[in-house]
Amino acid sequence: MNCLNNDNHDLINQPIINDSDEFSSATRSSNQNRNGTGSLGTIFLIVNATLGAGLLNFPEAFDKSGGIATAIIVQLFFLIFITSALVVLANCSDITETCTMQNTFAGLCGSKSLILCGVCVAIYSFGCCLTFLIIIGDQFDRVFATFYGLDYCHNWYLSRPFITSITAIVFILPLSFFKRMDVLSYASSIGCLTIIYVVWMVIYESFVNNDKLPKKTIHIWPENLTQPLQIVPIICFAYQSHMTAIPTYACMKDRQLSKFTWCAIISMIICFIAYSIVGTFGYMTFGAGNVPSDILQGYTDKSVTLTLAIIAVAVKNFTTYPIVLYCGRDALMELIGWDLNRNFLSRIILTLIWFFMSLVIAILVPDITPVINLLGSLSAAFIFLFPGICLLQSTLKRDPQLFMNKNRAMIFLAILITALGALVCGIIFVESLQDLFSGKSSSLKKSLTSGLRISLGKSLCV
């Protein structure tokens, strides 16, 4: 489906990168009448979609990787591929004149691939939405259990089903009906502010607890070469925003690949700084071998500072849920054959069905860890597999005989990204199946899949 208006058609047919004055003037003229996000709003959307539950698991990832320096270096290495994949997806959406990942993939690989990619986007989006709602319930459970007592749920107005339902309906549902993602940039700015507070809280707790906890062992470098591999899967989960990259790019007011590239680079730098700070200070707070899987669970004090951080995590999920729903809803509508722009009533009905189904499942079946684990392999697919295949196909379409050295290098990069994605996806999927049938939860599974703590959805009420 072509998501661009007629005013932008000439722009897309121009070369992707052109520094001539004539091209720049045409670009500015074609974007004068576009509505959408500016560069700052685009950064908010990317950062909000990227930073999430993985932030709470990074201190443990630093511990498992063998040291602070190792974790930072491995992050930087993979960040090159992760950021490149965002740009590749945006470039391919220009080539195919599309505004969703499934349509871009279908434009390069054939119409039949639309079903495969669309199903992956829909399933992964719904699984993420379930996870967000369960995390919201977990955070309020922790607050009530701390300040009210472990029998809090015997009061209906403090029970998990009631609190999760009310907060989701009030804060999430109104943001879920918008046709364009650019409207969500305002809510995303709030989500980014909550993350800033969580980062500050981890730093604060590190200094406060420095004298309270026993002397800790801190590693800089790993003791063996296999330890750095432990952080690779959690990096894939933590930096997964590629499913939303193309819709975010499509909603830019000044849709230019060069501007989106800078937005993607700045966004990934912000995420890298946030992850590294939380990972470093969280690791230093508890020491090697003592870091909890969820950093907030390691703090036992009843301070207002910690309580606000727990609530901030819930607010962050309020602002991320609509972004993921947007991608999943578009994928479903295209699979069904509905026109998103013309079928207003169908969009409303599908949104309501999606929202209430995820809410009911999150309340009735809070422990969806096995399902999330199986879906974890899709995270690596969105980061590596789909961008790698898109880069391969777009390069072959542009230069089938590979006459130019630049295109040969692009083919090599595409094969490398695709192979890396296939390897990570395969490991995640096999490990998840083994743990599902064995009923055991290995440490590898925790880091390879969703990155969420194993007690996800477990009620604290007695």
Side-chain angles (χ1 to χ4, degrees), residues 182-236:
D182 53 309
V183 183
L184 300 176
S185 62
Y186 302 102
S188 294
S189 63
I190 299 175
C192 294
L193 291 176
T194 61
I195 290 298
I196 292 176
Y197 178 80
V198 174
V199 172
W200 172 84
M201 193 278 306
V202 173
I203 299 174
Y204 172 79
E205 289 287 341
S206 176
F207 289 102
V208 170
N209 290 295
N210 188 42
D211 298 328
K212 297 179 181 179
L213 296 175
K215 187 176 181 180
K216 302 168 287 292
T217 301
I218 305 298
H219 297 296
I220 303 299
W221 301 102
E223 297 178 354
N224 57 70
L225 296 178
T226 60
Q227 280 187 300
L229 298 177
Q230 293 290 326
I231 198 176
V232 174
I234 193 65
I235 289 176
C236 294

Short mmCIF file of all heavy atoms in Angstrom, two decimals, residues 182-236:
data_model
loop_
_atom_site.label_atom_id
_atom_site.label_comp_id
_atom_site.label_asym_id
_atom_site.label_seq_id
_atom_site.Cartn_x
_atom_site.Cartn_y
_atom_site.Cartn_z
N ASP A 182 2.63 10.02 14.46
CA ASP A 182 3.26 11.26 14.89
C ASP A 182 2.56 11.88 16.10
O ASP A 182 3.18 12.59 16.89
CB ASP A 182 3.32 12.27 13.74
CG ASP A 182 1.96 12.48 13.10
OD1 ASP A 182 1.32 11.49 12.77
OD2 ASP A 182 1.57 13.65 12.93
N VAL A 183 1.26 11.62 16.26
CA VAL A 183 0.53 12.14 17.42
C VAL A 183 1.10 11.57 18.72
O VAL A 183 1.06 12.23 19.77
CB VAL A 183 -0.97 11.81 17.30
CG1 VAL A 183 -1.76 12.40 18.46
CG2 VAL A 183 -1.53 12.32 15.98
N LEU A 184 1.64 10.37 18.65
CA LEU A 184 2.16 9.71 19.85
C LEU A 184 3.52 10.25 20.28
O LEU A 184 4.04 9.83 21.31
CB LEU A 184 2.27 8.20 19.60
CG LEU A 184 0.97 7.48 19.26
CD1 LEU A 184 1.24 6.02 18.93
CD2 LEU A 184 -0.03 7.59 20.39
N SER A 185 4.08 11.18 19.53
CA SER A 185 5.38 11.74 19.91
C SER A 185 5.28 12.53 21.21
O SER A 185 6.24 12.59 21.98
CB SER A 185 5.92 12.64 18.79
OG SER A 185 5.05 13.74 18.57
N TYR A 186 4.11 13.12 21.48
CA TYR A 186 3.93 13.88 22.73
C TYR A 186 3.93 12.94 23.93
O TYR A 186 4.57 13.23 24.96
CB TYR A 186 2.63 14.68 22.67
CG TYR A 186 2.57 15.63 21.50
CD1 TYR A 186 1.82 15.33 20.36
CD2 TYR A 186 3.27 16.83 21.53
CE1 TYR A 186 1.76 16.20 19.28
CE2 TYR A 186 3.23 17.72 20.45
CZ TYR A 186 2.47 17.40 19.33
OH TYR A 186 2.43 18.25 18.27
N ALA A 187 3.21 11.84 23.81
CA ALA A 187 3.21 10.86 24.89
C ALA A 187 4.60 10.23 25.03
O ALA A 187 5.03 9.92 26.15
CB ALA A 187 2.17 9.78 24.62
N SER A 188 5.30 10.07 23.92
CA SER A 188 6.64 9.48 23.97
C SER A 188 7.61 10.36 24.74
O SER A 188 8.54 9.87 25.39
CB SER A 188 7.17 9.24 22.55
OG SER A 188 6.40 8.26 21.89
N SER A 189 7.42 11.69 24.65
CA SER A 189 8.29 12.59 25.40
C SER A 189 8.13 12.36 26.90
O SER A 189 9.11 12.43 27.66
CB SER A 189 7.97 14.04 25.05
OG SER A 189 6.64 14.39 25.43
N ILE A 190 6.89 12.06 27.34
CA ILE A 190 6.66 11.74 28.75
C ILE A 190 7.36 10.43 29.12
O ILE A 190 7.97 10.31 30.18
CB ILE A 190 5.15 11.66 29.04
CG1 ILE A 190 4.49 13.00 28.76
CG2 ILE A 190 4.90 11.23 30.48
CD1 ILE A 190 2.98 12.98 28.91
N GLY A 191 7.26 9.44 28.23
CA GLY A 191 7.92 8.17 28.47
C GLY A 191 9.43 8.33 28.60
O GLY A 191 10.06 7.67 29.44
N CYS A 192 10.01 9.21 27.80
CA CYS A 192 11.46 9.45 27.88
C CYS A 192 11.84 10.11 29.19
O CYS A 192 12.89 9.81 29.77
CB CYS A 192 11.91 10.31 26.70
SG CYS A 192 11.76 9.50 25.08
N LEU A 193 10.99 11.01 29.68
CA LEU A 193 11.26 11.68 30.95
C LEU A 193 11.22 10.69 32.11
O LEU A 193 12.02 10.80 33.05
CB LEU A 193 10.24 12.80 31.19
CG LEU A 193 10.36 14.03 30.27
CD1 LEU A 193 9.23 15.01 30.55
CD2 LEU A 193 11.71 14.70 30.42
N THR A 194 10.30 9.73 32.06
CA THR A 194 10.24 8.73 33.13
C THR A 194 11.51 7.87 33.15
O THR A 194 11.99 7.48 34.22
CB THR A 194 9.02 7.82 32.96
OG1 THR A 194 9.10 7.11 31.71
CG2 THR A 194 7.72 8.64 32.97
N ILE A 195 12.04 7.59 31.96
CA ILE A 195 13.28 6.81 31.90
C ILE A 195 14.44 7.59 32.50
O ILE A 195 15.31 7.03 33.18
CB ILE A 195 13.58 6.41 30.44
CG1 ILE A 195 12.57 5.36 29.96
CG2 ILE A 195 15.00 5.87 30.31
CD1 ILE A 195 12.62 4.06 30.74
N ILE A 196 14.46 8.90 32.25
CA ILE A 196 15.51 9.73 32.83
C ILE A 196 15.48 9.64 34.35
O ILE A 196 16.51 9.55 35.01
CB ILE A 196 15.35 11.20 32.37
CG1 ILE A 196 15.63 11.32 30.88
CG2 ILE A 196 16.28 12.12 33.16
CD1 ILE A 196 15.41 12.70 30.31
N TYR A 197 14.25 9.63 34.90
CA TYR A 197 14.14 9.52 36.35
C TYR A 197 14.65 8.17 36.85
O TYR A 197 15.34 8.10 37.87
CB TYR A 197 12.68 9.72 36.80
CG TYR A 197 12.51 9.57 38.28
CD1 TYR A 197 12.82 10.62 39.14
CD2 TYR A 197 12.08 8.37 38.84
CE1 TYR A 197 12.70 10.47 40.52
CE2 TYR A 197 11.96 8.22 40.21
CZ TYR A 197 12.26 9.28 41.04
OH TYR A 197 12.16 9.13 42.40
N VAL A 198 14.31 7.09 36.14
CA VAL A 198 14.78 5.76 36.56
C VAL A 198 16.30 5.70 36.52
O VAL A 198 16.93 5.15 37.43
CB VAL A 198 14.16 4.67 35.66
CG1 VAL A 198 14.75 3.31 35.98
CG2 VAL A 198 12.64 4.63 35.82
N VAL A 199 16.89 6.27 35.48
CA VAL A 199 18.36 6.30 35.38
C VAL A 199 18.95 7.06 36.57
O VAL A 199 19.92 6.61 37.20
CB VAL A 199 18.80 6.94 34.05
CG1 VAL A 199 20.31 7.13 34.03
CG2 VAL A 199 18.37 6.07 32.87
N TRP A 200 18.37 8.22 36.88
CA TRP A 200 18.86 9.01 38.02
C TRP A 200 18.71 8.23 39.33
O TRP A 200 19.60 8.26 40.19
CB TRP A 200 18.08 10.32 38.12
CG TRP A 200 18.40 11.08 39.37
CD1 TRP A 200 19.45 11.94 39.57
CD2 TRP A 200 17.69 11.03 40.61
NE1 TRP A 200 19.43 12.42 40.86
CE2 TRP A 200 18.36 11.89 41.52
CE3 TRP A 200 16.55 10.35 41.05
CZ2 TRP A 200 17.92 12.08 42.83
CZ3 TRP A 200 16.11 10.53 42.35
CH2 TRP A 200 16.80 11.39 43.23
N MET A 201 17.60 7.52 39.48
CA MET A 201 17.35 6.77 40.70
C MET A 201 18.39 5.67 40.91
O MET A 201 18.85 5.45 42.03
CB MET A 201 15.95 6.16 40.66
CG MET A 201 15.43 5.61 41.99
SD MET A 201 16.03 3.95 42.40
CE MET A 201 15.56 3.04 40.94
N VAL A 202 18.78 4.99 39.84
CA VAL A 202 19.80 3.94 39.95
C VAL A 202 21.13 4.53 40.39
O VAL A 202 21.84 3.96 41.23
CB VAL A 202 19.95 3.19 38.61
CG1 VAL A 202 21.12 2.21 38.67
CG2 VAL A 202 18.66 2.44 38.27
N ILE A 203 21.48 5.69 39.84
CA ILE A 203 22.71 6.37 40.26
C ILE A 203 22.61 6.77 41.73
O ILE A 203 23.56 6.56 42.52
CB ILE A 203 22.97 7.62 39.38
CG1 ILE A 203 23.13 7.22 37.91
CG2 ILE A 203 24.20 8.36 39.87
CD1 ILE A 203 23.25 8.41 36.97
N TYR A 204 21.49 7.33 42.11
CA TYR A 204 21.28 7.78 43.49
C TYR A 204 21.38 6.61 44.47
O TYR A 204 22.08 6.69 45.49
CB TYR A 204 19.92 8.45 43.59
CG TYR A 204 19.49 8.80 45.00
CD1 TYR A 204 20.01 9.92 45.64
CD2 TYR A 204 18.58 8.00 45.68
CE1 TYR A 204 19.62 10.24 46.94
CE2 TYR A 204 18.18 8.30 46.97
CZ TYR A 204 18.71 9.42 47.60
OH TYR A 204 18.33 9.73 48.88
N GLU A 205 20.72 5.51 44.15
CA GLU A 205 20.74 4.34 45.03
C GLU A 205 22.14 3.74 45.13
O GLU A 205 22.51 3.16 46.16
CB GLU A 205 19.76 3.28 44.53
CG GLU A 205 18.29 3.65 44.71
CD GLU A 205 17.84 3.56 46.16
OE1 GLU A 205 18.54 2.90 46.94
OE2 GLU A 205 16.81 4.16 46.49
N SER A 206 22.94 3.89 44.07
CA SER A 206 24.30 3.36 44.11
C SER A 206 25.13 4.06 45.18
O SER A 206 25.90 3.42 45.90
CB SER A 206 24.96 3.54 42.73
OG SER A 206 26.30 3.12 42.75
N PHE A 207 24.97 5.37 45.28
CA PHE A 207 25.72 6.13 46.30
C PHE A 207 25.13 5.92 47.69
O PHE A 207 25.86 5.82 48.68
CB PHE A 207 25.74 7.61 45.95
CG PHE A 207 26.61 7.94 44.78
CD1 PHE A 207 26.05 8.17 43.53
CD2 PHE A 207 27.99 8.01 44.92
CE1 PHE A 207 26.85 8.48 42.44
CE2 PHE A 207 28.80 8.31 43.83
CZ PHE A 207 28.23 8.55 42.59
N VAL A 208 23.79 5.85 47.78
CA VAL A 208 23.14 5.69 49.07
C VAL A 208 23.45 4.34 49.69
O VAL A 208 23.70 4.22 50.90
CB VAL A 208 21.61 5.88 48.93
CG1 VAL A 208 20.89 5.47 50.21
CG2 VAL A 208 21.29 7.32 48.59
N ASN A 209 23.45 3.28 48.86
CA ASN A 209 23.67 1.91 49.35
C ASN A 209 25.14 1.52 49.40
O ASN A 209 25.46 0.37 49.73
CB ASN A 209 22.92 0.91 48.46
CG ASN A 209 21.42 1.00 48.62
OD1 ASN A 209 20.88 0.73 49.68
ND2 ASN A 209 20.74 1.42 47.57
N ASN A 210 26.02 2.44 49.07
CA ASN A 210 27.45 2.11 49.03
C ASN A 210 27.97 1.66 50.39
O ASN A 210 28.79 0.74 50.49
CB ASN A 210 28.23 3.32 48.53
CG ASN A 210 29.70 2.99 48.28
OD1 ASN A 210 30.01 1.94 47.74
ND2 ASN A 210 30.59 3.89 48.70
N ASP A 211 27.48 2.29 51.47
CA ASP A 211 27.95 1.96 52.81
C ASP A 211 27.09 0.89 53.48
O ASP A 211 27.53 0.27 54.45
CB ASP A 211 27.98 3.22 53.68
CG ASP A 211 28.93 4.28 53.15
OD1 ASP A 211 29.95 3.88 52.54
OD2 ASP A 211 28.66 5.48 53.32
N LYS A 212 25.87 0.69 52.97
CA LYS A 212 24.95 -0.26 53.61
C LYS A 212 25.26 -1.70 53.24
O LYS A 212 25.11 -2.61 54.04
CB LYS A 212 23.50 0.07 53.21
CG LYS A 212 23.03 1.44 53.68
CD LYS A 212 21.60 1.68 53.24
CE LYS A 212 21.12 3.06 53.67
NZ LYS A 212 19.72 3.33 53.24
N LEU A 213 25.69 -1.92 51.99
CA LEU A 213 25.94 -3.27 51.51
C LEU A 213 27.38 -3.68 51.80
O LEU A 213 28.28 -2.83 51.92
CB LEU A 213 25.68 -3.34 50.00
CG LEU A 213 24.22 -3.08 49.57
CD1 LEU A 213 24.13 -3.05 48.05
CD2 LEU A 213 23.28 -4.12 50.14
N PRO A 214 27.64 -4.98 51.93
CA PRO A 214 29.01 -5.44 52.18
C PRO A 214 29.92 -5.14 51.00
O PRO A 214 29.47 -4.79 49.91
CB PRO A 214 28.82 -6.96 52.37
CG PRO A 214 27.54 -7.28 51.69
CD PRO A 214 26.67 -6.09 51.86
N LYS A 215 31.20 -5.28 51.23
CA LYS A 215 32.18 -4.99 50.19
C LYS A 215 31.92 -5.86 48.96
O LYS A 215 31.71 -7.07 49.07
CB LYS A 215 33.59 -5.24 50.72
CG LYS A 215 34.68 -4.79 49.76
CD LYS A 215 36.06 -4.96 50.38
CE LYS A 215 37.14 -4.50 49.41
NZ LYS A 215 38.50 -4.66 50.00
N LYS A 216 31.95 -5.25 47.78
CA LYS A 216 31.55 -5.93 46.56
C LYS A 216 32.75 -6.15 45.64
O LYS A 216 33.71 -5.36 45.64
CB LYS A 216 30.48 -5.10 45.83
CG LYS A 216 29.25 -4.83 46.67
CD LYS A 216 28.36 -3.80 46.05
CE LYS A 216 28.94 -2.40 46.15
NZ LYS A 216 28.98 -1.91 47.55
N THR A 217 32.64 -7.20 44.84
CA THR A 217 33.65 -7.49 43.83
C THR A 217 33.17 -6.97 42.48
O THR A 217 32.06 -7.30 42.04
CB THR A 217 33.92 -9.00 43.72
OG1 THR A 217 34.35 -9.50 44.99
CG2 THR A 217 34.97 -9.29 42.66
N ILE A 218 33.97 -6.14 41.85
CA ILE A 218 33.61 -5.55 40.56
C ILE A 218 34.65 -5.97 39.53
O ILE A 218 35.86 -5.82 39.75
CB ILE A 218 33.56 -4.01 40.64
CG1 ILE A 218 32.61 -3.55 41.76
CG2 ILE A 218 33.13 -3.42 39.30
CD1 ILE A 218 31.18 -3.96 41.56
N HIS A 219 34.18 -6.50 38.40
CA HIS A 219 35.07 -6.92 37.32
C HIS A 219 35.02 -5.90 36.19
O HIS A 219 33.97 -5.34 35.89
CB HIS A 219 34.68 -8.30 36.79
CG HIS A 219 34.79 -9.40 37.80
ND1 HIS A 219 36.00 -9.78 38.35
CD2 HIS A 219 33.85 -10.20 38.37
CE1 HIS A 219 35.81 -10.76 39.20
NE2 HIS A 219 34.50 -11.03 39.24
N ILE A 220 36.14 -5.70 35.57
CA ILE A 220 36.23 -4.83 34.40
C ILE A 220 36.28 -5.66 33.12
O ILE A 220 35.64 -5.34 32.12
CB ILE A 220 37.46 -3.92 34.47
CG1 ILE A 220 37.43 -3.08 35.77
CG2 ILE A 220 37.51 -2.99 33.25
CD1 ILE A 220 36.23 -2.17 35.87
N TRP A 221 37.03 -6.75 33.18
CA TRP A 221 37.19 -7.65 32.03
C TRP A 221 36.75 -9.06 32.41
O TRP A 221 36.80 -9.42 33.58
CB TRP A 221 38.65 -7.67 31.55
CG TRP A 221 39.16 -6.33 31.13
CD1 TRP A 221 39.98 -5.51 31.85
CD2 TRP A 221 38.87 -5.66 29.91
NE1 TRP A 221 40.23 -4.36 31.16
CE2 TRP A 221 39.56 -4.42 29.95
CE3 TRP A 221 38.10 -5.96 28.79
CZ2 TRP A 221 39.50 -3.49 28.93
CZ3 TRP A 221 38.04 -5.03 27.75
CH2 TRP A 221 38.74 -3.82 27.83
N PRO A 222 36.31 -9.86 31.45
CA PRO A 222 35.82 -11.22 31.75
C PRO A 222 36.93 -12.17 32.11
O PRO A 222 38.10 -11.97 31.74
CB PRO A 222 35.13 -11.63 30.44
CG PRO A 222 35.86 -10.87 29.38
CD PRO A 222 36.22 -9.55 30.01
N GLU A 223 36.56 -13.22 32.83
CA GLU A 223 37.53 -14.24 33.21
C GLU A 223 37.74 -15.26 32.10
O GLU A 223 38.77 -15.94 32.06
CB GLU A 223 37.06 -14.95 34.47
CG GLU A 223 36.97 -14.03 35.69
CD GLU A 223 36.44 -14.74 36.91
OE1 GLU A 223 36.05 -15.92 36.77
OE2 GLU A 223 36.43 -14.14 38.00
N ASN A 224 36.76 -15.41 31.19
CA ASN A 224 36.91 -16.30 30.04
C ASN A 224 36.24 -15.69 28.83
O ASN A 224 35.46 -14.72 28.95
CB ASN A 224 36.33 -17.69 30.34
CG ASN A 224 34.87 -17.63 30.73
OD1 ASN A 224 33.99 -17.34 29.91
ND2 ASN A 224 34.58 -17.88 32.02
N LEU A 225 36.50 -16.22 27.66
CA LEU A 225 36.04 -15.62 26.40
C LEU A 225 34.56 -15.85 26.13
O LEU A 225 33.97 -15.18 25.25
CB LEU A 225 36.86 -16.17 25.23
CG LEU A 225 38.36 -15.83 25.26
CD1 LEU A 225 39.06 -16.49 24.08
CD2 LEU A 225 38.57 -14.32 25.24
N THR A 226 33.92 -16.77 26.83
CA THR A 226 32.51 -17.05 26.58
C THR A 226 31.57 -16.10 27.32
O THR A 226 30.41 -15.96 26.95
CB THR A 226 32.17 -18.50 26.98
OG1 THR A 226 32.44 -18.67 28.39
CG2 THR A 226 33.00 -19.48 26.18
N GLN A 227 32.08 -15.45 28.36
CA GLN A 227 31.22 -14.56 29.14
C GLN A 227 30.65 -13.40 28.35
O GLN A 227 29.47 -13.06 28.52
CB GLN A 227 32.00 -14.04 30.36
CG GLN A 227 32.06 -15.02 31.51
CD GLN A 227 32.69 -14.40 32.75
OE1 GLN A 227 33.85 -13.97 32.72
NE2 GLN A 227 31.94 -14.36 33.84
N PRO A 228 31.40 -12.74 27.45
CA PRO A 228 30.83 -11.63 26.70
C PRO A 228 29.61 -12.00 25.85
O PRO A 228 28.79 -11.14 25.53
CB PRO A 228 32.00 -11.17 25.80
CG PRO A 228 33.22 -11.59 26.54
CD PRO A 228 32.85 -12.88 27.21
N LEU A 229 29.51 -13.29 25.49
CA LEU A 229 28.37 -13.72 24.67
C LEU A 229 27.06 -13.62 25.44
O LEU A 229 25.98 -13.58 24.83
CB LEU A 229 28.58 -15.15 24.18
CG LEU A 229 29.80 -15.39 23.29
CD1 LEU A 229 29.92 -16.87 22.95
CD2 LEU A 229 29.71 -14.56 22.01
N GLN A 230 27.11 -13.58 26.77
CA GLN A 230 25.91 -13.54 27.58
C GLN A 230 25.10 -12.26 27.38
O GLN A 230 23.89 -12.26 27.54
CB GLN A 230 26.27 -13.68 29.07
CG GLN A 230 26.84 -15.02 29.46
CD GLN A 230 25.80 -16.13 29.40
OE1 GLN A 230 24.64 -15.91 29.69
NE2 GLN A 230 26.23 -17.31 29.03
N ILE A 231 25.78 -11.17 27.00
CA ILE A 231 25.08 -9.90 26.87
C ILE A 231 24.50 -9.70 25.47
O ILE A 231 23.66 -8.82 25.27
CB ILE A 231 26.04 -8.72 27.19
CG1 ILE A 231 25.23 -7.46 27.49
CG2 ILE A 231 27.03 -8.49 26.08
CD1 ILE A 231 26.07 -6.28 27.90
N VAL A 232 24.92 -10.51 24.50
CA VAL A 232 24.46 -10.32 23.12
C VAL A 232 22.93 -10.44 23.00
O VAL A 232 22.29 -9.57 22.41
CB VAL A 232 25.16 -11.32 22.17
CG1 VAL A 232 24.57 -11.23 20.77
CG2 VAL A 232 26.66 -11.03 22.15
N PRO A 233 22.31 -11.48 23.55
CA PRO A 233 20.85 -11.59 23.40
C PRO A 233 20.08 -10.45 24.07
O PRO A 233 19.08 -9.98 23.53
CB PRO A 233 20.53 -12.94 24.06
CG PRO A 233 21.81 -13.69 24.03
CD PRO A 233 22.87 -12.66 24.21
N ILE A 234 20.51 -10.02 25.25
CA ILE A 234 19.81 -8.94 25.93
C ILE A 234 19.96 -7.64 25.16
O ILE A 234 19.07 -6.78 25.18
CB ILE A 234 20.31 -8.79 27.38
CG1 ILE A 234 19.35 -7.89 28.19
CG2 ILE A 234 21.70 -8.23 27.43
CD1 ILE A 234 17.98 -8.46 28.36
N ILE A 235 21.08 -7.47 24.43
CA ILE A 235 21.24 -6.30 23.58
C ILE A 235 20.22 -6.32 22.46
O ILE A 235 19.60 -5.29 22.14
CB ILE A 235 22.68 -6.25 23.01
CG1 ILE A 235 23.67 -5.90 24.12
CG2 ILE A 235 22.78 -5.23 21.88
CD1 ILE A 235 25.11 -5.91 23.67
N CYS A 236 20.01 -7.50 21.88
CA CYS A 236 19.02 -7.62 20.81
C CYS A 236 17.63 -7.24 21.29
O CYS A 236 16.87 -6.55 20.60
CB CYS A 236 19.01 -9.05 20.26
SG CYS A 236 20.53 -9.53 19.42
#
